[in-house]
Amino acid sequence: MKTTVVLLILLCASALLAQSPAAPATAQPPVNPQIKRAQQLNSEGKQDEALATLTQILATDPNSYEANLNAGIVLDLKGDYTKAHTYLQKALEVAPPDRHLQALRTLAISFAFSCDLPLVTDNEQQVYEAQMQAAKPLDAAATANELARIALECGDTHGAAKWYQTGYTTAMHAPNLSDADKDLAEFRYQSAKARIAARNGQKVEADEDVKFAKTTLDKGMLPPEQQRFYPYLAGYVDYYNGNYQAAIDELRKADQNDPFILVLLAQAYEKSGNRDEAMKLYRQVMTINFHNPTNAFARPLAKKKLGLAS
């Protein structure tokens, strides 16, 4: 009898536990509304107001990762690179583990604004190695390609060739690649070789690499959005090959929200004698407030062309 009672009690307890709701997942800390406001102000080109908002946060919480990170971004867009590096180094120091790579990459892009290639390479390489250790070869390949592009636009064609080769090899050795993935890696590598050849004054080689890239694109295996990169590639090679009108024709078909494409198009207009159109495009670049490699190349050049002080 006692055994039966005990069993009934246990069964009732089990039933009650089964009906109890699961413990709620740990909630992520809410984003500070002041951080969101600073980001909005920055996106609107109001860097001084954004910085004032972030400075208020840092006055009470100097170890705020988000405030330090965003202050560095804002200062880069203002052109105060030395101060930007100070905030971004602090962000890296206090970054939560899951934001460490973001902090490294943001710092690398910051150094790209001033083409400080040794420091760009140091930070990007740390990101690349961490992604490889985490068995994320496609992410690592993208990082290698980003470093290569920064090297190229900062005038280091040898370093660019090295890191584009690394990106291509890393991508092609990723497990379970589809045919489309392989074609994408090929297209990116052929595009990179074309741009490097053009920068090195190798016109014939550059034109041949553009043809190879177009052949890969025309196979139809790549996602449709990859088509938009071809006019940029063709226009880039035309520009550095000295074919300025052809460059204008191609670049006008490319992404008109990309500050680097706009600044390249502006330079092609300048070379062809149309300074008014060039100045219009430089002013348009200054309305774009991205913190990425394309704007790291475009914004300082546009500011210089427009005669704007940092």
Side-chain angles (χ1 to χ4, degrees), residues 221-273:
M221 297 290 290
L222 300 183
E225 62 266 20
Q226 291 299 317
Q227 294 286 341
R228 67 189 178 92
F229 291 106
Y230 179 76
Y232 156 66
L233 170 62
Y236 187 108
V237 170
D238 281 331
Y239 175 80
Y240 281 102
N241 280 353
N243 304 322
Y244 302 123
Q245 187 56 53
I248 290 169
D249 293 342
E250 290 292 348
L251 292 169
R252 283 172 62 88
K253 303 174 197 171
D255 183 359
Q256 300 301 292
N257 294 312
D258 185 320
F260 183 73
I261 289 172
L262 293 178
V263 87
L264 192 61
L265 180 56
Q267 291 175 94
Y269 273 118
E270 271 196 285
K271 294 286 189 181
S272 64

Side-chain angles (χ1 to χ4, degrees), residues 274-293:
N274 191 341
R275 187 174 185 277
D276 289 344
E277 191 63 28
M279 292 300 110
K280 177 182 172 183
L281 288 166
Y282 290 132
R283 286 192 290 272
Q284 186 177 341
V285 168
M286 293 303 297
T287 68
I288 299 172
N289 297 289
F290 303 151
H291 192 266
N292 61 10

Side-chain angles (χ1 to χ4, degrees), residues 2 26 93 115 145 152 166 172 175 196 255 259 282 291 301:
K2 289 182 179 180
T26 304
E93 177 187 323
C115 274
N145 288 339
L152 179 60
T166 297
M172 293 299 282
I196 291 169
D255 183 359
Y282 290 132
H291 192 266
L301 178 58

